[in-house]
Amino acid sequence: MNDAIIVEGLEKSYGSHVVLKGIDLLVRSGEIFALLGMNGAGKSTTLECVEGLRSYDSGKVIINGKTGIQLQSSSLPAFIKPMEAVKLFAKWNETKIDSGMLEALGIKEFEKNTYAHLSTGQKRRLHLVLALIGSPDILFLDEPTAGLDVEGRALLHEQIRRLKGMGKTIILSSHDMEEVETLCDRIAILNDGKIVFCGTASELTQKIGKKYVIHIKTQQGSSTIETDNIENELLSLIGGLKQKGIGILDLSVDRGTLEQHVIEVAGRVKI
């Protein structure tokens, strides 16, 4: 599989504050890839440098293909209509309008409304269309479903999967770990300006170790217990409650969420 994006030794400082400390990253063609990190880890700066929106001090960024960008804070003039924006972007990109894409994203449903009167979901869909106007090979999506309702999220997720099926490479930035786990092939985690993990969600679970989370509800209330030894912990827990005559109303076990794993890796690694 070819590499869509190659980043080597990327460094960036703002005055005396060093934000990126030698980022190395490979994004494969045709995959959905997420860049994750706690606030202040350098995620936004990394994306902006890779997208070409911000200069960097040293290192190398190689982009193998045409890019399209959907920014989280994108905006258009209040009185422009969706199709006016689409036609304008098509003219800038010297390309024809893909009517199939417009239909798939439901632009026709609100084409007569002005931008100021579009809902958050409609704006997100319009911004995605504008990012796709130039038929990019690589698509950057920054918090694409932020502020959307369940129906809007489902629609955009469907379109993201459709784009992947067309061979597009998608770089996703999201605080929604359920979204990341559902959509992404691989993830990278930033901590203090460096990549501390890159791989699949399953590989991250293995890196964390066999950490289990026990959720238990008894007659005295609910509690959550984390353990690396699920068998011994369950036997001890159930035996102790039985001895005290406390009845168990509900009990479930999981391996922890992606969000928990990301927080642990991003927080425990010291650079």
Side-chain angles (χ1 to χ4, degrees), residues 81-202:
K81 294 181 179 180
M83 286 308 300
E84 291 173 342
V86 170
K87 290 175 182 177
L88 181 60
F89 273 63
K91 187 172 183 178
W92 281 342
N93 285 274
E94 298 181 344
T95 187
K96 293 182 179 180
I97 297 172
D98 183 348
S99 58
M101 177 178 63
L102 298 181
E103 183 177 350
L105 285 167
I107 301 300
K108 295 289 186 180
E109 299 171 10
F110 51 86
E111 65 176 333
K112 295 182 180 180
N113 297 340
T114 60
Y115 185 79
H117 290 91
L118 299 183
S119 68
T120 300
Q122 290 169 339
K123 289 178 179 177
R124 293 283 183 190
R125 285 149 63 183
L126 175 58
H127 294 162
L128 181 55
V129 165
L130 299 181
L132 290 167
I133 285 289
S135 299
D137 307 294
I138 303 166
L139 186 62
F140 292 89
L141 301 178
D142 190 356
E143 300 289 348
T145 61
L148 298 189
D149 58 19
V150 174
E151 184 178 359
R153 281 168 47 86
L155 177 61
L156 273 184
H157 284 181
E158 180 183 340
Q159 294 309 315
I160 290 171
R161 293 189 184 95
R162 174 175 170 267
L163 292 168
K164 173 181 166 63
M166 294 167 60
K168 306 290 185 184
T169 302
I170 299 170
I171 317 301
L172 180 69
S173 174
S174 176
H175 284 93
D176 186 336
M177 293 300 101
E178 182 181 352
E179 177 171 84
V180 169
E181 192 165 17
T182 299
L183 293 174
C184 295
D185 299 299
R186 292 191 305 139
I187 61 176
I189 302 174
L190 269 166
N191 180 17
D192 194 27
K194 285 191 175 183
I195 300 292
V196 294
F197 173 82
C198 187
T200 65
S202 296

